[in-house]
């Protein structure tokens, strides 16, 4: 009986497992294999030659290849950290605002917030590049009205990456607000009523009921926000081209430049493997932290 | 044989022949470019003219931003379904030829090119003596300056030497009005490197000599120092220098709106200036690159573009592509003895490179803006076309930008640039 059950389970799982194997695991394994090869993306895989860890030595070395990779890795980490730090609290704050039953216009606000997520990135990039324009940009004109001089935004290595982060936060916060609202709906109203009877104020209700019970939602949001942020590509390709001085050169854009534009497939694969490993480490650390909190 | 049988046999024979005939006659080729929609429309019109005498060949034009052109060629050119024809920058040719993405020109095309184009341009379209593309445009750098701003600043004549150049840049700078004397460019490799290289060659230096980087020369030291001086004095503001993926952006906006006094740029941006400035375009003039303390006379950097054919396209497509390109660049396809390609190029202010085209367009090439470029062509030095050239350019771009933003000194920038270039060119040559 158990054997028949196992066989039928295997048959039912086979299509999904095969598809995952072909379209997810195989490309990942191929990328790992290529990271140990000297290979031009314009030649067949058969032309690849094994060079051990040379690609990894190169990307962490002192040459321009290593320097550019390390800058791109740090830029990606900063972009991801800032995006998550801004998106999560904002999404909870907006979620609380929209979820209040006694506030009029909650549905309209929810629609407005989510609409930014539906706008194609090409449109967002075009509009924001003009908003940030140092000469005729509306942001600088508004700052001028309150006596603040023109800001360089995308034209300065000190502010270009942060400017791209704001663009990302603006576009993504609506989606994460919807996730936050979904988390809020899971919290029983009776807990708040009991807390009120015990004399808890709004802040205490938020601190001791809302936040702890939203932990799973926030963990999911954080993981998705990290994955989205690490994959940033369009605003960099459309607006800054990685500049100025490589300050917005993120890993996906850099891998495209190395692996496709320069056809250095082995180096590009080594960079992609490092990106994948970094992502796995961060996400695992996040889950481990959440599990430890649960156990406490 | 009855009439019914004869009809059936004829119909069967017709049906049998029809697919083969259609297959033999209908060839679809595609042309990948980075040109603007207006220029693409001109190319499409030329393709329609070609179709009048070649109804069996259909040409479709695809345009991508300049920043995506090489990536598109590399990612799609490896298959037979990729673009049949591509417009490419000569710096990309050695590696595209090495990776067998571009096809050698047929003998007839190669002979025609060698007989009708200057030898230097033909060599830039060749690798190891084999011609791979039909050259079409040549771009050269010169100093553009705003005559109205010069007049306001009390500068009588455009600068001829670096000392005069620095002096003019200082006088043109007005921080309160948000005005800079000399506009650099950043976030775009060629936009950063070509003006720097033009100043370097006008100071008697070179980027690459005998296949090896020459950025450790005393002439290069002076050029890096010039950049540092311009930045430190405030005569050039890096925040006003950003470019975007379409090679436009703040650096262009600042020049067309009269916030930048001088800039070193190529002839092809005439159409962008005209669009941005309208009647004020008359304020812009072109002169040779100022001569540095170690230079003998004005020099600048030139580079060329060419059209190549996808080596992985089918034989019929490749044949049709070369035939179309030969027609497009033939003196009979355009107006008044010019080729259709040169008419398209001249609509953008781009200098054609075929000798007969230069002659056919001599009136327009004599305009105040373009004549300044034509005058420097003779002494222009081609940008070095070497394996690894694109990576070398991007690396030098990063170093120059770091210098622009004050992240490194001129001395450190020079040392980094030379070390990076050596490592990149050595690796690419393996």
């Amino acid at each position: 009986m158990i054997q028949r059950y196992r066989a039928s389970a295997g048959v039912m799982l086979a299509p999904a497992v095969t598809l995952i194997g072909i379209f997810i695991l195989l490309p990942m394994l191929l990328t790992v294999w290529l990271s140990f090869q000297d290979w031009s993306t314009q030649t067949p895989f058969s032309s690849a030659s094994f060079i051990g860890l040379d690609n990894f030595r190169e990307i962490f070395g002192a040459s321009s290849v290593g320097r550019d990779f390390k800058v791109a890795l740090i830029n990606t980490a900063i972009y991801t950290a800032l995006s998550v730090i801004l998106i999560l609290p904002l999404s909870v704050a907006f979620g609380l605002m929209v979820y209040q039953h006694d506030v009029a216009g909650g549905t309209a606000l929810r629609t407005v917030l989510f609409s930014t997520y539906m706008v194609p990135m090409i449109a967002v990039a075009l509009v924001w590049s003009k908003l940030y324009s140092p000469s005729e940009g509306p942001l600088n004109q508004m700052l001028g009205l309150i006596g603040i001089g023109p800001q360089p935004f995308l034209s300065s290595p000190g502010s270009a990456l942060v400017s791209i982060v704001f663009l990302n936060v603006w576009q993504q916060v609506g989606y994460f607000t919807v996730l936050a609202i979904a988390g809020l709906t899971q919290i029983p109203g009776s807990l708040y009523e009991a807390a009120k009877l015990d004399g808890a104020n709004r802040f205490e209700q938020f601190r001791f009921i809302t936040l702890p019970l939203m932990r799973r939602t926030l963990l999911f949001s954080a993981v998705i926000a990290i994955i989205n942020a690490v994959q940033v590509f369009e605003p960099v390709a459309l607006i800054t081209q990685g500049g100025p001085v490589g300050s917005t050169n993120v890993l996906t854009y850099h891998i495209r430049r190395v692996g496709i534009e320069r056809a250095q497939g082995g180096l590009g694969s080594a960079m992609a493997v490092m990106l994948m490993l970094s992502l796995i480490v961060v996400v695992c650390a996040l889950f481990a932290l959440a599990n430890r909190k649960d156990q406490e | 044989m009855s009439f019914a049988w004869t009809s059936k046999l004829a119909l069967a024979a017709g049906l049998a022949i029809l697919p083969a005939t259609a297959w033999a006659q209908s060839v679809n080729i595609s042309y990948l470019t980075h040109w603007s929609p207006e220029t693409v429309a001109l190319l499409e019109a030329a393709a329609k003219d070609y179709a009048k005498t070649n109804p069996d060949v259909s040409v479709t034009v695809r345009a991508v931003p300049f920043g995506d052109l090489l990536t598109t060629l590399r990612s799609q050119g490896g298959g037979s379904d990729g673009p049949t024809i591509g417009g490419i920058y000569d710096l990309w040719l050695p590696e595209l030829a090495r990776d067998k993405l571009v096809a050698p020109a047929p003998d007839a095309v190669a002979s025609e090119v060698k007989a009708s184009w200057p030898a230097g341009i033909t060599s830039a379209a060749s690798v190891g003596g084999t011609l791979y593309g039909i050259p079409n445009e040549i771009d050269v750098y010169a100093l553009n300056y705003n005559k109205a701003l010069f007049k306001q600043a009390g500068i009588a004549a455009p600068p001829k030497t670096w000392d005069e150049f620095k002096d003019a840049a200082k006088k043109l700078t007005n921080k309160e009005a948000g005005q800079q004397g000399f506009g650099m460019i950043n976030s775009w490799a060629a936009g950063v490197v070509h003006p720097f290289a033009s100043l370097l060659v006008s100071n008697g230096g070179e980027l690459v000599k005998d296949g090896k980087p020459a950025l450790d020369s005393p002439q290069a030291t002076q050029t890096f120092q010039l950049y540092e001086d311009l930045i430190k004095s405030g005569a050039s503001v890096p925040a006003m220098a950003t470019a975007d993926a379409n090679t436009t952006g703040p650096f262009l906006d600042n020049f067309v709106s009269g916030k930048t006094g001088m800039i070193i740029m190529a002839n092809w941006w005439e159409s962008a200036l005209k669009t941005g400035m309208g009647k004020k375009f008359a304020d812009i003039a072109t002169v040779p690159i100022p001569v540095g303390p170690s230079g003998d006379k004005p020099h600048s950097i030139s580079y060329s573009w060419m059209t190549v054919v996808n080596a992985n396209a089918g034989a019929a497509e490749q044949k049709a592509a070369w035939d179309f390109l030969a027609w497009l660049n033939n003196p009979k396809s355009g107006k008044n003895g010019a080729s259709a390609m040169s008419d398209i190029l001249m609509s953008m202010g781009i200098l054609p490179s075929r000798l007969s085209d230069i002659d056919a367009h001599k009136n327009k090439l004599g305009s105040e803006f373009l004549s300044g470029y034509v005058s420097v062509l003779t002494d222009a030095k081609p940008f070095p076309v070497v394996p690894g050239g694109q990576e070398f350019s991007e690396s030098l771009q990063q170093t120059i930008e770091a210098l622009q933003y004050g992240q490194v000194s001129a001395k450190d920038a020079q040392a980094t640039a030379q070390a990076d270039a050596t490592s990149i060119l050595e690796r690419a040559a393996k």
Side-chain angles (χ1 to χ4, degrees):
Chain A
M1 183 69 185
I2 291 171
Q3 270 187 339
R4 279 180 59 196
Y5 172 76
R6 279 183 181 160
S8 65
V11 169
M12 283 187 280
L13 284 172
V17 171
T18 308
L19 286 174
I20 289 169
I22 292 172
F23 293 108
I24 297 175
L25 289 178
L26 199 62
M28 281 168 74
L29 291 174
L30 193 61
T31 307
V32 173
W33 178 74
L34 286 170
S35 68
F36 298 106
Q37 313 289 325
D38 180 18
W39 175 65
S40 161
T41 45
Q42 301 303 323
T43 55
F45 290 136
S46 57
S47 68
S49 58
F50 182 75
I51 53 167
L53 292 169
D54 282 4
N55 285 329
F56 292 93
R57 272 190 212 105
E58 186 89 18
I59 64 173
F60 284 106
S63 69
S64 60
V65 175
R67 230 172 31 238
D68 291 347
F69 169 74
K70 282 177 271 187
V71 167
L73 188 64
I74 291 167
N75 285 345
T76 308
I78 294 171
Y79 178 89
T80 304
L82 282 178
S83 293
V84 175
I85 287 168
L86 289 171
I87 283 175
L88 289 191
L90 276 175
S91 66
V92 173
F94 285 136
L96 287 170
M97 279 167 64
V98 173
Y99 191 59
Q100 296 299 317
H101 297 293
D102 50 349
V103 175
T107 308
L109 184 58
R110 195 182 311 193
T111 309
V112 169
L113 280 170
F114 194 70
S115 65
T116 60
Y117 188 66
M118 295 189 290
V119 181
M121 181 46 90
I122 178 72
V124 176
L126 285 173
V127 170
W128 278 80
S129 65
K130 278 295 162 198
L131 287 175
Y132 280 140
S133 173
S135 47
E136 72 263 19
L139 288 178
N140 266 331
Q141 287 178 357
M142 284 191 281
L143 288 174
L145 292 176
I146 53 170
I148 299 173
Q151 300 301 306
F153 296 117
L154 298 166
S155 300
S156 162
S159 56
L161 188 66
V162 177
S163 303
I164 298 280
V165 169
F166 282 132
L167 182 158
N168 179 50
V169 171
W170 177 85
Q171 201 201 19
Q172 302 261 329
V173 76
Y175 170 73
F176 288 95
T177 301
V178 172
L179 292 183
I181 294 167
L184 288 169
T185 58
Q186 302 300 310
I187 303 172
S190 55
L191 291 177
Y192 292 105
E193 284 164 21
K196 274 182 203 167
L197 288 175
D198 288 342
N201 61 29
R202 289 258 177 160
F203 176 76
E204 285 165 337
Q205 288 173 36
F206 175 75
R207 168 74 181 82
F208 296 106
I209 299 174
T210 310
L211 263 189
L213 291 179
M214 277 189 76
R215 189 183 297 143
R216 287 279 153 195
T217 304
L218 288 175
L219 175 67
F220 175 74
S221 292
V223 171
I224 298 295
I226 288 170
I227 293 171
N228 283 353
V230 164
Q231 289 174 351
V232 59
F233 179 81
E234 294 103 322
V236 174
L238 293 166
I239 305 174
T240 61
Q241 301 277 293
V245 210
S247 60
T248 59
N249 191 27
V250 289
L251 263 181
T252 50
Y253 185 75
H254 190 61
I255 292 170
R256 172 250 202 192
R257 181 178 274 172
V258 173
I260 300 176
E261 211 174 281
R262 297 179 193 160
Q264 296 166 344
L267 275 177
S269 298
M271 292 175 186
V273 167
M274 288 316 302
L275 177 63
M276 192 166 66
L277 286 176
S278 310
L279 195 57
I280 289 170
V281 167
V282 170
V283 171
C284 287
L286 211 56
F287 275 108
L289 194 71
N291 282 338
R292 206 173 70 181
K293 287 270 180 196
D294 280 349
Q295 282 164 4
E296 281 171 12
Chain B
M1 196 179 282
S2 69
F3 176 74
W5 269 105
T6 312
S7 309
K8 283 173 187 170
L9 278 174
L11 184 63
L15 285 172
I17 292 166
L18 188 64
T21 315
W23 181 258
Q25 286 190 347
S26 176
V27 180
N28 296 314
I29 57 174
S30 56
Y31 190 126
L32 181 72
T33 177
H34 66 294
W35 288 341
S36 67
E38 297 80 23
T39 315
V40 166
L42 295 177
L43 181 58
E44 285 171 338
K48 270 187 189 170
D49 283 347
Y50 175 74
K52 285 176 191 165
T53 49
N54 297 273
D56 52 328
V57 179
S58 157
V59 183
T60 51
V61 183
R62 280 182 56 205
V64 294
F66 171 76
D68 293 333
L69 185 59
L70 180 59
T71 311
T72 309
L73 278 166
R74 281 209 169 275
S75 57
Q76 296 181 5
S80 57
D81 295 333
T84 327
I85 298 171
I88 67 157
Y89 173 27
D90 57 14
L91 190 64
W92 302 339
L93 182 64
E95 282 160 81
L96 292 176
R98 180 199 65 194
D99 295 337
K100 296 186 174 53
L101 288 176
V102 292
D107 291 343
V109 172
S111 306
E112 169 81 2
V113 169
K114 282 170 189 166
S116 311
W117 268 265
I121 305 284
T122 310
S123 74
S126 310
V127 177
T130 305
L131 186 86
Y132 282 90
I134 300 186
N136 41 50
E137 66 174 87
I138 179 152
D139 296 280
V140 65
Y141 281 78
L143 184 80
N144 294 137
Y145 69 101
N146 188 318
K147 290 185 286 184
L149 294 183
F150 266 59
K151 197 175 172 186
Q152 276 175 23
I155 307 168
K160 288 182 178 167
T161 64
W162 281 14
D163 284 340
E164 290 176 13
F165 174 60
K166 283 195 274 189
D167 188 49
K170 195 177 165 188
K171 285 178 180 166
L172 287 162
T173 302
N174 182 345
K175 280 184 187 169
E176 285 71 35
Q179 188 178 306
Q180 64 174 345
F182 174 64
M184 294 182 186
I185 302 173
N186 62 57
S187 304
W188 163 31
V192 176
V193 174
H194 289 177
F196 174 86
S198 294
L199 286 163
L200 174 63
V201 294
S202 213
N203 190 35
E206 283 181 88
L207 283 176
V208 175
K209 195 174 181 182
D210 302 326
K212 290 184 176 160
L215 289 162
D216 53 355
S217 67
Q219 293 91 337
T221 307
Q222 289 167 327
T223 313
F224 279 106
Q225 192 57 52
L226 172 70
Y227 265 52
E228 191 173 52
D229 292 346
L230 287 166
I231 293 292
K232 279 191 171 169
S233 68
S236 194
V237 182
M240 296 172 75
T242 314
D244 60 24
N246 276 327
T247 65
T248 55
F251 87 93
L252 171 68
D253 299 341
N254 283 312
F255 191 69
V256 299
S257 59
K259 300 274 185 192
T260 299
M262 300 180 284
I263 198 160
I264 292 176
M265 237 326 220
N267 45 285
W268 58 261
W269 85 323
E270 183 192 36
S271 56
L273 288 182
K274 279 181 173 170
T275 307
M277 299 186 82
K279 286 180 182 172
K280 286 192 172 178
F281 176 70
D283 288 339
I284 304 304
T286 311
V287 289
I289 304 288
V291 183
S294 304
D296 54 353
K297 61 178 177 175
H299 291 283
S300 66
I301 282 291
S302 71
Y303 63 92
S304 58
W305 279 70
M306 70 197 82
T307 36
V308 291
V309 172
N310 181 353
N312 295 301
E317 281 78 14
Q318 285 196 37
K319 185 175 177 301
W322 284 116
D323 189 64
F324 172 67
L325 289 177
W327 174 86
L328 191 67
N329 289 281
N330 189 288
K332 290 175 188 166
S333 60
K335 292 169 191 160
N336 307 319
S339 68
M341 173 59 90
S342 72
D343 288 342
I344 294 169
L345 295 174
M346 286 300 291
S347 75
M348 295 182 276
I350 293 175
L351 312 180
S353 56
R354 187 177 177 131
L355 294 167
S356 58
D357 284 334
I358 295 170
D359 195 43
H361 289 288
K362 64 184 173 194
N363 285 342
K364 199 183 172 196
L365 291 171
S367 71
E368 189 176 4
F369 184 81
L370 287 181
S371 62
Y373 286 103
V374 176
S375 71
V376 301
L377 258 179
T378 320
D379 291 318
K381 299 196 172 181
F383 191 85
V385 177
V386 288
Q390 180 66 17
E391 190 180 348
F392 163 65
S393 255
E394 286 166 359
S395 168
L396 183 55
Q397 171 203 357
Q398 293 299 318
T399 309
I400 296 172
E401 285 186 9
L403 177 62
Q404 284 181 15
Y405 281 96
Q407 293 179 353
V408 291
S409 67
K411 193 180 167 190
D412 291 344
Q414 184 181 14
T416 305
Q418 176 68 11
D420 288 350
T422 305
S423 137
I424 290 165
L425 296 189
E426 275 177 8
R427 179 159 35 84
K430 280 180 190 169

